[in-house]
Amino acid sequence: MTAPRTSRYARDVAVVAFAQSDHLRRTDELSEVEMVMPVLHEVLAATELKAGEIGFTCSGSSDYLAGRAFSFTMTLDGVGAWPPISESHVEMDGAWALYEAWVKIQTGEADTALVYSYGKSSPGSLRDVLTRQLDPYYLAPLWPDAVALAALQAQALIDAGETDESALAAIAARSRADAAANPHAQLRGAVPQGDYQVRPLRTGDCPPVGDGAAAVVLAAGDLARQLCERPAWITGIDHRIEAHGPGLRDLTDSPSTRIAARHAGVFDAPVDTAELHAPFSSQEVVLRKALGLGGIGTDTGVCIGTDTGADTGTDTGTDTGADTGTDTGTDPGTGPGTETGPGTVAVNPSGGALAANPMMAAGLIRIGEAAARIHRGASDRAVAHATSGPCLQQNLVAVLEGDPR
């Protein structure tokens, strides 16, 4: 039996299926349960597993978006919690639910996991809701919203000479052009840059506000090969967090992303795909630098066997979930995206978060999209990234690899 290229953990675990909803500006006619159920059915159908055959289920969502406490318990109706299941929940993006499920499988307590996440941003003002992520004593009372904080980061990059407004516009245009092949994307094709939201960020530099859901299925060892013709092996995964206050950080860099990438093994060998959770065009510039990717239009691959920065982030990478969930999911993928020559990296070939940014699901989608490219043979080694908090405060990095062909 062919083994994955590298293995640094007790068990080999792979993404064997991925599914996502169509991401829409509003889904007033759907409840969270109605939005999630078709995705769960699709991902389970891809593996031919029944809900009762899943060893562990974990979900990611936010009560602040739903407007009620323990809102995730309602979506368990879509999973089917009877007979009783082993499940957990994180009040974060589903990428961190995947991390918890991966840890569960590593302990040997489960062989399969269903991970799903969802968010409905349309009922309220997302810019106001996201201020609840901020320091409650000094920053939150000022109500700086996510766009204003991202604009501070973008201006810092411009002042440092690392980008300019035309380069940011090119990132947005490329992302949405690639999304033309993604049937799930909210924004596809040519989208005007529009007016300034908060200078220097224009409308086109900002993510769309919308509703959506995603799910993946994880499986271990030979079972993964039985469920998927070409599993996407998680050969490395790590997450780190930086200081809570944006004023305590260098906003032009992301040491937490770099440290997570080093511990996940990103720099051990080249990657051919990078799915980056960069909700704002300026944040792709920061992530490319942290991950050793080339600049815009000059992708030169990830640097091999070298680390590109000292450990300057606060090392906290712990999971924050409580018990909720079962795992499954699959998606045939969303088109080829921007293909490049040998030794180069396709960055966000799905369109990324600038094409669809469902809160609490966009990070999980980055992992799912990277896995889907491996499933269909478009990628051999990919890096997937998820973020949470203002200005890339907390970052998760995963390396996915296919079996040698």
Side-chain angles (χ1 to χ4, degrees):
M1 186 66 70
T2 303
R5 296 180 182 179
T6 58
S7 181
R8 64 183 68 204
Y9 304 113
R11 306 185 75 189
D12 295 330
V13 178
V15 177
V16 296
F18 168 56
Q20 60 181 312
S21 66
D22 292 339
H23 306 298
L24 306 172
R25 177 61 185 90
R26 305 193 68 89
T27 55
D28 295 339
E29 72 284 3
L30 298 176
S31 68
E32 284 92 343
V33 178
E34 292 169 324
M35 184 171 65
V36 168
M37 280 190 68
V39 177
L40 297 177
H41 291 166
E42 181 181 346
V43 81
L44 286 170
T47 60
E48 299 183 353
L49 290 172
K50 307 292 185 184
E53 297 174 311
I54 296 295
F56 180 63
T57 300
C58 197
S59 60
S61 66
S62 172
D63 287 350
Y64 284 94
L65 287 178
R68 57 178 177 268
F70 297 99
S71 61
F72 70 89
T73 58
M74 299 189 68
T75 59
L76 284 174
D77 290 340
V79 175
W82 184 264
I85 62 174
S86 173
E87 65 89 28
S88 185
H89 174 264
V90 299
E91 184 79 6
M92 291 189 71
D93 189 287
W96 277 265
L98 181 144
Y99 183 86
E100 181 175 342
W102 174 84
V103 169
K104 191 81 166 183
I105 294 176
Q106 288 296 328
T107 65
E109 294 188 26
D111 294 322
T112 57
L114 169 64
V115 181
Y116 68 95
S117 60
Y118 59 93
K120 289 191 69 170
S121 301
S122 58
S125 170
L126 184 61
R127 291 173 72 160
D128 290 337
V129 170
L130 291 180
T131 63
R132 302 305 89 197
Q133 295 178 318
L134 305 175
D135 165 61
Y137 299 104
Y138 298 104
L139 199 53
L142 301 176
W143 290 87
D145 60 64
V147 178
L149 290 169
L152 288 175
Q153 186 174 39
Q155 189 61 55
L157 287 164
I158 291 173
D159 291 346
E162 297 193 23
T163 192
D164 55 38
E165 290 190 36
S166 62
L168 298 182
I171 292 173
R174 187 210 75 232
S175 297
R176 286 154 186 159
D178 287 347
N182 182 347
H184 305 290
Q186 185 176 338
L187 296 180
R188 294 190 289 270
V191 177
Q193 272 295 87
D195 298 328
Y196 286 112
Q197 289 292 308
V198 180
R199 194 180 295 267
L201 295 180
R202 295 180 179 271
T203 301
D205 296 309
C206 303
V209 176
D211 305 341
V216 304
V217 175
L218 303 181
D222 288 341
L223 178 58
R225 294 185 176 90
Q226 295 172 20
L227 298 175
C228 180
E229 183 176 349
R230 192 172 194 243
W233 299 101
I234 302 173
T235 57
I237 188 168
D238 194 82
H239 64 103
R240 307 283 161 149
I241 192 169
E242 296 178 40
H244 199 185
L248 300 175
R249 297 156 49 196
D250 175 4
L251 297 182
T252 68
D253 196 14
S254 182
S256 60
T257 298
R258 185 177 299 110
I259 295 167
R262 179 165 57 81
H263 283 269
V266 172
F267 307 119
D268 293 350
V271 300
D272 52 35
T273 299
E275 279 285 347
L276 308 180
H277 186 187
F280 298 90
S281 59
S282 51
Q283 292 176 350
E284 182 176 309
V285 178
V286 177
L287 293 172
R288 279 176 176 262
K289 179 170 71 172
L291 292 170
L293 302 173
I296 307 308
T298 59
D299 285 344
T300 56
V302 170
C303 104
I304 302 173
T306 60
D307 191 60
T308 54
D311 283 2
T312 55
T314 302
D315 182 349
T316 61
T318 55
D319 194 74
T320 56
D323 255 355
T324 67
T326 353
D327 240 24
T328 54
T330 155
D331 192 283
T334 56
T338 301
E339 297 297 343
T340 51
T344 63
V345 183
V347 177
N348 285 344
S350 66
L354 286 168
N357 189 45
M359 294 302 299
M360 304 298 139
L364 181 62
I365 290 170
R366 304 281 69 77
I367 298 174
E369 289 283 8
R373 284 177 63 84
I374 290 174
H375 293 164
R376 65 178 183 265
S379 174
D380 291 320
R381 190 173 192 263
V383 59
H385 162 269
T387 193
S388 179
C391 300
L392 303 172
Q393 181 197 3
Q394 185 169 2
N395 296 280
L396 181 149
V397 177
V399 176
L400 297 98
E401 299 185 39
D403 285 330
R405 288 181 285 183

